[in-house]
Amino acid sequence: MTNYLKFPLKMAFVALSLCLFITSCGKDDGSGFETPDTSEPTDPETPEPMVATIVFNEGDESSNVTSAEASGEAGGTVSGRVIFTATDNKQKRMYITQNISGQGDMPFGSLNLTSDNFEKELNRDGSIDLDGETRMSLDFTFELPVPQIDNGQIVYKFWTTRGKGDFRDTDKRLALGVGTITVSVGTGTNAAAEVRNFTNVKLFAPAQDGTTESFFSFLNEEVYRINEGPEFRAFWDFGYYYGASGVSDGNDASFASTATYDASFGFEVEGLAPGADEDDMENETLNQTFFNTSTRTTADFDGITLSGELDAIVASEVEKITNLAVGDVIEFVDNYGKKGLIKITEIEAGFNTNDFIIFDVKIQP
């Protein structure tokens, strides 16, 4: 009996061994049969693409990641992500700025943000409206554009606010942030900062109903009608009027900071002061700009190219300047500490709404 069983037992052992070998070298396709593993092996030397991520968690600040870095190529993009989680502070807006090669933080509202529970909506000032669940928690991914530069850094800043904020003042109604994503191109070294140069800026004598373009912004080089409302009021740095209080020599062309405009002009202009129905109007602040007559000539003005050439300017305590004339060069320091010069090139004297002043500006980035 024993002799008849030896061969079948040996065959069963061989079959079992072969089955175990196949099982160990294949993968289960779910059918109960083993199939060979034909997938491509993972290359351990090929890392996953990095996503520059910043994190702010109001409930656990130890987990915050306030800055991230990435390398990019001119004309390309790099991947970014922001994760903001609030507890008590409800986030109403997100602000983003872009600083190319150290030339200054500029409003940036063109990111294609993606999220499962958010549809991007830009406010008129370029900030991003937060709605629904994103007021407490947001997680956005995006591609950051890399400008056409050979060498330098592009710095993106991100923060959220509890109401209307200010692109030049990250503390204004700050909810969470400020985080930065720095993209390096080439050597990552910025060239010496040049001045920002605006030419042929034209402001008109104000109408009492606020319909004239009487205010100017150093932020984006734009002129504004006074009645354009709360979305842009934080942009305005100073305004023009003709007829300064206490001036009687016939040359009444004047500039005044936004903060002191009504008092300097002597008349209230509709649209300058916050309305009672505006969000958080009791905390509204307007920009200050400090002026002084310069000893520099128009030729000196024309020859300035670098930011450092304006470092010697010292802020005055005066927020208005009167008796302006063609050829005057005026020193100023704005609300955010930037220094610059204004050169008056033309004045159409008068109080009428078609009377105007034209000037050039050079300001630190």
Side-chain angles (χ1 to χ4, degrees), residues 288-292 315-319 331-335:
Q288 296 176 287
T289 302
F290 301 92
F291 301 100
N292 200 11
S316 72
E317 297 181 354
V318 180
E319 295 185 52
E331 297 178 354
F332 69 85
V333 178
D334 75 4
N335 195 80

Side-chain angles (χ1 to χ4, degrees), residues 178-235:
V178 178
T180 62
I181 295 178
T182 301
V183 181
S184 295
V185 180
T187 63
T189 303
N190 294 330
E194 297 182 354
V195 295
R196 297 173 64 207
N197 187 19
F198 320 140
T199 59
N200 294 318
V201 180
K202 188 176 186 178
L203 297 181
F204 290 89
Q208 191 166 4
D209 63 1
T211 55
T212 52
E213 292 181 337
S214 301
F215 277 83
F216 181 69
S217 172
F218 296 130
L219 175 64
N220 58 4
E221 312 171 29
E222 295 288 335
V223 298
Y224 287 93
R225 294 195 315 273
I226 305 171
N227 65 353
E228 285 196 85
E231 286 297 335
F232 296 108
R233 201 179 288 127
F235 285 22

Side-chain angles (χ1 to χ4, degrees), residues 50-57 63-70 79-85 91 94-97 111 113 138-142 144 155-160 176-182:
M50 296 297 292
V51 178
T53 303
I54 56 176
V55 179
F56 283 92
N57 187 338
S63 65
N64 288 356
V65 179
T66 61
S67 62
E69 298 181 355
S79 298
R81 183 181 180 188
V82 293
I83 305 171
F84 284 37
T85 305
Q91 307 169 106
M94 169 169 276
Y95 284 78
I96 307 172
T97 61
L111 284 181
L113 302 177
L138 61 86
D139 185 343
F140 298 154
T141 58
F142 41 81
L144 290 168
V155 180
Y156 294 90
K157 289 182 181 179
F158 302 82
W159 70 97
T160 59
L176 292 179
V178 178
T180 62
I181 295 178
T182 301

Side-chain angles (χ1 to χ4, degrees), residues 280-346:
D280 201 20
M281 60 81 58
E282 66 275 9
N283 295 317
E284 182 69 88
T285 56
L286 300 177
N287 283 337
Q288 296 176 287
T289 302
F290 301 92
F291 301 100
N292 200 11
T293 301
S294 180
T295 58
R296 305 192 198 208
T297 65
T298 56
D300 294 334
F301 177 97
D302 295 339
I304 290 174
T305 59
L306 298 178
S307 173
E309 296 177 77
L310 300 175
D311 285 344
I313 293 175
V314 177
S316 72
E317 297 181 354
V318 180
E319 295 185 52
K320 69 176 181 180
I321 189 164
T322 61
N323 294 320
L324 299 175
V326 173
D328 284 351
V329 176
I330 301 158
E331 297 178 354
F332 69 85
V333 178
D334 75 4
N335 195 80
Y336 310 94
K338 303 301 182 183
K339 301 177 179 181
L341 297 171
I342 297 172
K343 180 180 71 173
I344 308 300
T345 59
E346 186 177 351

Side-chain angles (χ1 to χ4, degrees), residues 40 100 118 130 135:
E40 292 291 331
I100 302 174
F118 177 70
L130 301 179
R135 289 199 170 187

